[in-house]
Amino acid sequence: MFTTRPTLQGTFGMAASTHWLASQCAMAVLEDGGNAFDAAVAAGFVLHVVEPHLNGPAGEVPIVLAPAGGEVRVLCGQGPAPAGASGEHYRGLGLDLVPGTGPLAAAVPGAFDAWMVLLRDHGTKDLDEVLKYAIGYAENGHPPVGKIRDTIATVQDLFATEWTSSAEVYLPVVRPGELLRNRPLAATWRRLLAEAGGSTREARIDAARRVWREGFIAEALLKQSARPTLDTSGERHTGTLTGDDLASFRAEYEAPATYDWNGWTLCKAGTWSQGPSLLQQLALLPGELPARGTADYVHLLVEGCKLAMADREAWYGDAGDEVPLEALLSAPYNEERRALIGERASLALRPGSPLGRIPRLAALAGRVPLASSLSSGAGEPTVGAYGAAGADGLPALGSDGEPVVGASGETRGDTCHIDVVDRWGNMVSATPSGGWLQSNPVVPELGFPLGTRLQMTWLEPGLPNSLTPGRRPRTTLTPSLALRGGVPVMAFGTPGGDQQDQWQLPFFLHVAGAAAVRGGLDLQGAIDAPNWHTDHLPSSFYPRGFQPGALTVESRLGDGVIGELRRRGHLVTVGAPWSEGRLSAVARDPETGVLSAAANPRGMQGYAVGR
């Protein structure tokens, strides 16, 4: 099969990410004797600098890790809603949705602490050794990719008139060939290192964590949260973040959600993420699949995705035992749900009834009232179209799968991704996001903004994903790690908001079903294969739009397949040939020790490196 690049293979180490500089810095750490976890942390901080429109230090990061010879764990870097962030408070401000920008949308920052915990518990390097790459690019500059310039240009009026601290870092927009610097960010990390003293590596890392949550960084974050800031509501609001919120947050380990499929075990974050929706999509598949790339194949996967995403909306959230995940993944439930997939494209939002429980959706989840009966059989609710594609105000996805940002900073799907495997068999997959330059004003003392993850919650009470103090918003971030025979063999993921687990499904099925490439997995072939996504789901991003039946496909699927999908009732938008997905992946053959890696060619930005 023709691929845009080879699937890399070697025995020393492999890294793949959404930006070549992050991948290469990860490799530099491996070459310097570090392990996969050291390398991932270094790459994560570089991504803050070279993809600032896609992530930042005050954002969030879920991490799935597999230490050599150890158990797969999820490290949660998703902060909760602050203690004062209640639905009642927001409704009292006259809001029916959490704004898509500004301090009201900020959860407790989680990314920094998660990276520090990963480095302390599983890495070998000191903090200064992994931060030096990010400091260097922030201080000395890097050639920005075109999407950074495009994003800054879109919001430059907002920066110039309202978010003036952002203007000081990002305006004027650098021209092609010029270097983009963020000297305040470099100064922040240098001061952090100076204040994070201790007699051991671990003590210095824990000291840095204290500086973040109780020292000069915390002080600056709180000052920014208290500044009235223009947001997507058209009003100026202050945030709810307090010193107690920052001081109390700790990134924690969890067992992964898992599903066994055809000899593979797929590991995801829990239902505080959308990760289990990929497991549900696997559970909905029949025993035999149609040929890849056919209309039958695309139709089956899209219709299964619609059912899984309807369950995501009805059941997922940081609600503990209230979320019936075991039932959602059970064979009887999925056999019943599979029977709903017919010849025609569904235009209904159809959550199921696991354990006989009646699903409940937010009143704004489809922008029209839902039918009173919400069973998984007859009487399913149907949701009418909320305007044509793009009419709901959502930024569209660009020609390389990245979002187009609105003039007020509203954004859909901004994220980046990193995977690393080393010669000892350590493996990690991380999807850092949030705290992007268009989310909130840059904190003047720090060089980076707060995040906006609370926009993914509902202000309506009583839902699994209602805005609730101390609960995590249900994030779209969803890294993956796959095992065969109980042994970790592959880490992968993608940016893309609600599209992440949609793009990962055909990738995984391709890898699992393809013939070996030189004795390894066909990672690049799976990434290069034509992909698609549906917007037949309530968006996780402000203003929470819904487009029943909408399906966007790469033109490479071919006129025949596209025509058949339209005949079946899909409302197809034909995208550019290389416009869907930004996947990266690494793998390890446990029998031979051969390592593999691949990255997405779309956008000419993601790269894999290794030897």
Side-chain angles (χ1 to χ4, degrees):
M1 172 183 174
F2 169 79
T3 59
T4 57
R5 309 165 181 173
T7 294
L8 305 184
Q9 290 195 314
T11 57
F12 180 81
M14 294 281 166
S17 82
T18 48
H19 196 289
W20 64 84
L21 291 178
S23 298
Q24 189 54 55
C25 288
M27 194 64 200
V29 173
L30 295 178
E31 295 284 3
D32 194 40
N35 65 18
F37 308 114
D38 298 312
V41 175
F45 280 87
V46 169
L47 287 170
H48 296 159
V49 180
V50 300
E51 291 194 313
H53 62 310
L54 302 177
N55 76 137
E60 41 275 327
V61 59
I63 303 169
V64 188
L65 61 142
E71 294 185 354
V72 176
R73 303 293 287 170
V74 172
L75 179 55
C76 176
Q78 173 59 65
S86 66
E88 181 180 10
H89 172 65
Y90 286 57
R91 293 192 301 273
L93 296 173
L95 300 171
D96 60 359
L97 290 172
V98 177
T101 60
L104 273 180
V108 179
F112 180 84
D113 199 64
W115 287 124
M116 292 300 97
V117 171
L118 181 67
L119 182 66
R120 182 197 65 186
D121 295 349
H122 299 283
T124 65
K125 294 291 190 180
D126 222 321
L127 181 55
D128 62 335
E129 295 180 281
V130 296
L131 273 182
K132 65 182 181 182
Y133 305 95
I135 292 172
Y137 285 121
E139 195 165 68
N140 302 319
H142 62 95
V145 295
K147 279 294 182 179
I148 297 178
R149 294 194 302 272
D150 294 345
T151 299
I152 297 171
T154 301
V155 292
Q156 63 181 334
D157 289 345
L158 176 67
F159 285 9
T161 60
E162 293 282 346
W163 296 8
T164 54
S165 59
S166 298
E168 291 177 10
V169 175
Y170 291 111
L171 296 183
V173 182
V174 299
R175 294 172 297 185
E178 294 182 336
L179 298 179
L180 178 62
R181 294 176 175 85
N182 188 342
R183 291 194 175 100
L185 177 58
T188 294
W189 296 145
R190 289 195 183 281
R191 181 176 174 183
L192 175 82
L193 292 173
E195 295 188 12
S199 59
T200 66
R201 187 186 75 90
E202 292 78 8
R204 288 187 288 276
I205 293 170
D206 280 336
R209 298 171 68 201
R210 287 192 296 273
V211 171
W212 175 277
R213 61 177 179 255
E214 299 173 15
F216 79 95
I217 293 178
E219 179 182 346
L221 292 173
L222 294 174
K223 284 174 61 179
Q224 184 61 49
S225 179
R227 291 186 177 105
T229 301
L230 183 67
D231 58 38
T232 53
S233 72
E235 303 292 334
R236 292 176 180 83
H237 294 109
T238 58
T240 61
L241 195 64
T242 68
D244 287 343
D245 295 319
L246 289 171
S248 62
F249 178 75
R250 305 289 189 279
E252 296 181 346
Y253 295 100
E254 302 176 358
T258 63
Y259 186 75
D260 295 332
W261 185 84
N262 283 11
W264 294 76
T265 300
L266 195 56
C267 301
K268 303 288 286 185
T271 53
W272 53 267
S273 77
Q274 72 170 345
S277 69
L278 180 54
L279 309 183
Q280 282 197 252
Q281 290 177 78
L282 285 173
L284 282 162
L285 294 176
E288 297 219 3
L289 300 179
R292 286 198 309 269
T294 63
D296 286 342
Y297 183 77
V298 177
H299 176 78
L300 173 68
L301 268 58
V302 169
E303 293 304 296
C305 174
K306 292 177 182 179
L307 295 173
M309 289 300 184
D311 278 346
R312 181 196 75 165
E313 197 55 48
W315 299 110
Y316 288 19
D318 187 17
D321 293 338
E322 298 175 32
V323 182
L325 182 58
E326 183 177 352
L328 290 170
L329 295 175
S330 68
Y333 178 77
N334 283 284
E335 183 177 356
E336 175 189 356
R337 297 283 279 166
R338 192 179 304 119
L340 299 176
I341 300 176
E343 173 69 16
R344 299 282 298 173
S346 171
L347 299 181
L349 186 60
R350 303 184 287 181
S353 300
L355 305 175
R357 293 168 57 181
I358 303 300
R360 178 185 164 197
L361 300 174
L364 295 177
R367 295 296 199 275
V368 296
L370 294 172
S372 58
S373 173
L374 287 169
S375 69
S376 61
E380 299 148 356
T382 59
V383 179
Y386 179 56
D392 55 5
L394 283 172
L397 287 176
S399 61
D400 58 358
E402 283 193 26
V404 175
V405 177
S408 298
E410 67 273 19
T411 308
R412 179 176 67 170
D414 290 60
T415 312
C416 39
H417 188 79
I418 177 74
D419 303 297
V420 189
V421 61
D422 64 29
R423 61 191 183 275
W424 301 289
N426 299 301
M427 189 177 295
V428 60
S429 180
T431 309
S433 186
W436 43 71
L437 66 86
Q438 64 274 19
S439 65
N440 258 301
V442 164
V443 182
E445 302 89 339
L446 304 178
F448 59 84
L450 288 163
T452 55
R453 193 60 55 175
L454 293 186
Q455 68 178 290
M456 299 187 168
T457 63
W458 295 106
L459 296 183
E460 183 179 339
L463 301 167
N465 192 33
S466 295
L467 179 62
T468 306
R471 281 191 175 183
R472 294 165 289 188
R474 188 201 69 214
T475 179
T476 53
L477 309 176
T478 173
S480 298
L481 201 145
L483 294 73
R484 294 202 74 177
V487 179
V489 296
M490 181 170 64
F492 62 98
T494 180
D498 293 312
Q499 287 75 42
Q500 290 179 39
D501 283 314
Q502 300 189 50
W503 290 332
Q504 290 185 56
L505 179 64
F507 165 84
F508 176 73
L509 294 178
H510 183 119
V511 170
V517 176
R518 298 195 309 277
L521 301 174
D522 184 19
L523 301 182
Q524 195 64 52
I527 289 172
D528 287 355
N531 217 319
W532 56 84
H533 82 270
T534 178
D535 287 313
H536 181 100
L537 48 94
S539 172
S540 297
F541 294 86
Y542 180 91
R544 312 303 298 272
F546 176 70
Q547 298 173 28
L551 175 62
T552 301
V553 304
E554 290 183 332
S555 61
R556 291 183 295 134
L557 272 180
D559 293 342
V561 171
I562 292 168
E564 176 60 16
L565 291 170
R566 284 177 168 150
R567 187 192 69 78
R568 296 187 184 198
H570 295 279
L571 305 180
V572 179
T573 296
V574 180
W578 298 89
S579 57
E580 292 287 316
R582 295 179 65 210
L583 285 140
S584 64
V586 298
R588 179 177 183 270
D589 185 329
E591 294 184 3
T592 64
V594 171
L595 311 178
S596 304
N600 175 53
R602 299 163 178 88
M604 303 299 287
Q605 186 172 323
Y607 272 88
V609 296
R611 67 173 181 87

